[in-house]
Amino acid sequence: MNTTAQPALRRISPEEAENLRTDATTGPVKKRARGARRTQQKWKVRKYRDSKRPALKFVVNGREDGKRTRSFFSTKTEADTYAETKNVELLNSGTEGAEFPTELRVMARQCAALLE
């Protein structure tokens, strides 16, 4: 019978908890205020596995028009290229611009040119 003594659990003070939240490599962990907005969501490449679609190995997750969007790819390079394109689009035009359909954006530019 193995009898190893386990350390007793104890409550820690808020100061000790703050010290535990500090990481040596990144510095203190910053808390987000309640109700604060997150930064822009990025398009992320992840591995994907489905027995019904074995050719598809990667999925790119993101948000468009306020809805979750997933695109599937067979190679990582295709998925990385698509995600990079979407992230550049998000960076250039912001969240509102990225979620605004391209067709309407082109139409708005044409109408603005006609008004000038």
Side-chain angles (χ1 to χ4, degrees):
M1 185 175 215
N2 188 3
T3 57
T4 57
Q6 294 185 356
L9 297 176
R10 66 179 181 89
R11 291 195 178 269
I12 60 174
S13 68
E15 293 82 21
E16 288 177 308
E18 190 62 38
N19 291 337
L20 291 175
R21 285 191 199 103
T22 303
D23 183 18
T25 58
T26 61
V29 177
K30 294 182 180 178
K31 291 183 182 178
R32 227 179 352 127
R34 182 174 279 196
R37 291 190 171 202
R38 291 182 180 182
T39 57
Q40 294 177 346
Q41 282 268 326
K42 294 182 181 176
W43 293 77
K44 297 177 185 173
V45 178
R46 300 189 188 220
K47 286 188 177 181
Y48 176 76
R49 186 173 56 184
D50 187 3
S51 60
K52 295 179 183 175
R53 300 190 285 180
L56 301 175
K57 302 290 183 188
F58 297 93
V59 61
V60 177
N61 296 320
R63 295 188 73 79
E64 271 186 322
D65 300 326
K67 297 180 182 174
R68 181 178 122 179
T69 304
R70 301 188 316 162
S71 299
F72 300 93
F73 300 93
S74 57
T75 64
K76 184 159 176 59
T77 55
E78 290 175 345
D80 285 336
T81 303
Y82 180 79
E84 186 177 335
T85 303
K86 287 295 193 174
N87 283 328
V88 167
E89 181 182 319
L90 182 65
L91 183 66
N92 289 340
S93 59
T95 306
E96 291 83 15
E99 291 184 356
F100 192 66
T102 305
E103 183 179 312
L104 291 177
R105 192 176 313 128
V106 170
M107 194 182 303
R109 286 185 186 149
Q110 290 172 348
C111 292
L114 288 175
L115 290 174
E116 291 177 351

